[in-house]
Each structure stands twice: as structure tokens, then as C-alpha cells.
Amino acid sequence: MYRRVTLRQLLSHTSGLANLRANQPQTIHFPPGDHFSYSGVGFLVAERLIETVTGEPLDQVAARLVFTPAGMTNSSFVWQRRFDDHTAVGHDAEGQPMPKRRPSVPFAPASLQTTAEDYGRFMAALLAGRLIHAPMLD
């Protein structure tokens, strides 16, 4: 059934793959495309696919194909020291500050660092057809 999983299903959480669970074997829990069920594993599989096809780490591919063309100067899948003074600090359920996460390797499901301005630049570039062509956007 794995051969029926598409990249679109991985990215739209409809692949049938369960979310990440430590020390559990990964299986498909429903027919691919059947319905939505959040799965960080889908993004991890997509990351590995991108890295295999391009021969580059995800952060380099994202910079080359998305961040640079969109003018996203404050986005990365790995932590950069320049982010230290410009990021919010999360808080736990008791309202106590939590340590900043500083990912040293790209991890598609959870390591994207960006700003509201960069997200706006991404959306503008996407809608203007600078990242993908109009037929693909449709």
C-alpha cells in the first residue's frame, strides 16, 4: 500500500501514515487519500524524498527554491545565531518560560524558523507565481 502514497497526500496529511511515535513501527492506518489525519511522518518522508532527489539537505533546497526567490531573509530550517535576539520565548502550562529550541539540523515537521513578515513574503511570491507556475498553483 506504500506505493499508492503520493507527495500531495504526504503534505496534506491524507497519506494514512500515523503521527510520530517513538519506538513504534510505522504502518499505514487507512487507505491513502481516504481522509485527513495529522502526520508529521508525512513531512519527514517528504523531506527525505526532497533530499534524495536533489542530493542537498532540506535547508539548502528551501533557501534556493523558496526563501531566496521570495525574499525571505529571516527563515531557515536550522537555527542561526542571528535569530537569538528576535524570537519569542514559549511558555509551559504554568506560564513559565521554556528554553528556545535551536534546531541544528533540518527537520521538516518542526524546525522551520520564520517571521510574520517572511510568511507574508512567501504568500505574496506564491500568489504572484514566482515560486510555482499558475497551472501548478491551480
Side-chain angles (χ1 to χ4, degrees):
M1 194 174 320
Y2 288 104
R3 292 184 186 274
R4 293 181 38 210
V5 174
T6 67
L7 181 58
R8 180 184 300 254
Q9 292 165 339
L10 293 171
L11 298 177
S12 65
H13 303 284
T14 60
S15 66
L17 295 171
N19 198 22
L20 292 173
R21 299 282 188 261
N23 301 318
Q24 287 184 336
Q26 185 56 247
T27 61
I28 294 185
H29 296 275
F30 57 84
D34 187 62
H35 64 275
F36 173 89
S37 181
Y38 178 83
S39 173
V41 170
F43 275 69
L44 189 56
V45 171
E47 174 183 346
R48 298 292 188 261
L49 177 65
I50 290 166
E51 291 176 338
T52 299
V53 168
T54 64
E56 302 174 72
L58 177 66
D59 54 317
Q60 290 178 14
V61 175
R64 179 170 51 83
L65 297 178
V66 179
F67 302 153
T68 299
M72 299 171 68
T73 57
N74 292 303
S75 297
S76 178
F77 277 95
V78 295
W79 187 261
Q80 297 180 16
R81 202 173 295 164
R82 64 190 174 93
F83 296 163
D84 275 333
D85 295 331
H86 305 286
T87 56
V89 176
H91 291 72
D92 65 19
E94 286 78 40
Q96 297 303 308
M98 297 185 337
K100 286 183 185 177
R101 291 181 53 233
R102 293 177 173 91
S104 60
V105 295
F107 184 64
S111 73
L112 177 62
Q113 308 292 313
T114 194
T115 63
E117 291 87 358
D118 269 12
Y119 185 70
R121 289 181 187 106
F122 168 75
M123 292 303 297
L126 185 66
L127 294 173
R130 292 195 325 257
L131 300 179
I132 58 176
H133 300 293
M136 177 85 62
L137 186 58
D138 289 341

